[in-house]
Amino acid sequence: MKIGFVGLGNMGRAMASNLLKGGHQLVVWNRSPDPVQALVEQGAVAAADPAEAFGAEVVFSMLADDKALREVLLESGLINGLKGPLIHINMATIAVDFADDLTVRHQEKGIHYIAAPVLGRPNFAASGELQILAAGPGDAIDTVQPLFDLIGRKTWRMGDKPSQANVMKLAVNFMLASAIESMAEASVLVGAYGLQSSQLIDLISNSVFPGPVYSGYGKMIAERSYEPAAFKASLGLKDVGLALAAAEREQVPMPLAELVRGNLLDATAHDEGHMDLAVLGRVAERNAGRN
């Protein structure tokens, strides 16, 4: 199958590489040239512009945020020149309202639009172990399921409306940020009483909260190790903000999300947005006057 891929950050590049390993023809585009060249060396074809990548049967986009996707797809006029048959799979975490807008725009052009944000860090992307949250036309998802199987361990179908996948991803990321916030505050509390953060993390990750979130992020908080970032605090801020916007649309109160967003704003105000989401541990120490 001829596939286009637009957006080759750490996640996108790893997913594109796995599609190549699956024996597919791949046409790739990225703003910066280095990731493109790396994939060309693996057998991909470099696209001169995004339109060339969108000339494939199926195109994946993995751009950083709403702004980047608007610029590439809408503001450039690219979408006006597209036509079916084409399946566009957007794997970025974007606003629910924007997802609904994109769905309508694609339908008007006779293009199948699938939202498929993922759960997992770049190392999971490299090993093809991502969790894929897919929503959109069922027959289109059936068509691209073999491609999803190359980049993910499991595909979770969220419904026929693409934005449902985005809502689920935002809910998960909100829960992730909230778990890190709770670990951060609890670590400061036990530290105030002469205990070590590492003791707390060892206890909870081997008893009441087993799993990678508490053991992984907890270890980073305990060691005050926030770089290199696998999930930047600035991206966490974006996602929690998008979750709050989705909540406001349906009049769903999310007071904890407001608190987490405030602390992520604190991190960015202190020039820590490039650090891992675990930097909420530093924010908690700062708020307690113990940094």
Side-chain angles (χ1 to χ4, degrees):
M1 182 181 292
K2 185 178 180 181
I3 303 169
F5 209 109
V6 174
L8 302 172
N10 290 336
M11 296 289 286
R13 177 177 168 179
M15 289 187 282
S17 178
N18 284 330
L19 292 171
L20 279 171
K21 293 173 185 176
H24 295 281
Q25 299 176 340
L26 205 62
V27 181
V28 298
W29 179 88
N30 193 63
R31 280 194 174 94
S32 56
D34 289 348
V36 173
Q37 183 57 39
L39 287 167
V40 167
E41 292 173 1
Q42 296 179 43
V45 175
D49 52 36
E52 186 175 347
F54 270 85
E57 303 167 62
V58 174
V59 61
F60 288 81
S61 58
M62 188 57 167
L63 297 162
D65 51 26
D66 294 39
K67 180 177 182 292
L69 186 57
R70 285 185 186 277
E71 289 175 354
V72 169
L73 189 61
L74 304 186
E75 294 174 10
S76 68
L78 171 58
I79 196 168
N80 297 326
L82 299 180
K83 59 182 179 181
L86 171 66
I87 299 175
H88 175 201
I89 305 166
N90 179 24
M91 308 196 79
T93 303
I94 63 171
V96 174
D97 286 345
F98 188 28
D100 287 337
D101 178 49
L102 288 174
T103 300
V104 172
R105 289 174 182 265
H106 283 72
Q107 287 174 341
E108 291 172 347
K109 296 293 181 180
I111 302 168
H112 289 303
Y113 177 69
I114 298 171
V118 299
L119 304 180
R121 291 184 169 205
N123 60 313
F124 284 86
S127 60
E129 292 291 310
L130 294 169
Q131 302 285 329
I132 302 171
L133 315 180
D139 55 346
I141 296 177
D142 290 339
T143 298
V144 301
Q145 185 61 58
L147 304 181
F148 285 157
D149 291 341
L150 291 173
I151 62 179
R153 181 161 61 90
K154 182 170 181 176
T155 300
W156 301 80
R157 297 203 180 192
M158 295 298 156
D160 296 328
K161 188 176 181 181
S163 61
Q164 290 176 307
N166 297 110
V167 172
M168 187 63 74
K169 174 63 186 295
L170 293 173
V172 171
N173 279 9
F174 156 66
M175 294 177 69
L176 172 64
S178 299
I180 296 170
E181 174 67 26
S182 69
M183 280 188 283
E185 293 182 21
S187 292
V188 176
L189 174 62
V190 299
Y193 282 85
L195 293 160
Q196 298 297 315
S197 296
S198 57
Q199 292 176 274
L200 170 68
I201 301 306
D202 187 41
L203 170 64
I204 63 171
S205 61
N206 287 287
S207 57
V208 292
F209 295 129
V213 171
Y214 287 89
S215 61
Y217 285 101
K219 184 173 186 291
M220 295 171 73
I221 291 172
E223 296 178 354
R224 296 179 174 84
S225 175
Y226 309 125
E227 295 183 90
F231 185 13
K232 293 181 181 178
S234 59
L235 294 179
L237 174 61
K238 170 187 76 80
D239 290 353
V240 173
L242 293 179
L244 282 166
E248 183 175 357
R249 171 173 148 176
E250 296 298 325
Q251 298 181 324
V252 176
M254 294 185 72
L256 181 55
E258 295 279 5
L259 183 149
V260 173
R261 180 177 180 273
N263 285 341
L264 287 169
L265 278 172
D266 181 279
T268 58
H270 286 84
D271 196 28
E272 297 163 352
H274 65 286
M275 296 181 181
D276 196 273
L277 194 57
V279 79
L280 283 169
R282 180 180 290 180
V283 176
E285 289 183 313
R286 190 159 50 233
N287 288 340
R290 293 178 174 273
N291 59 317

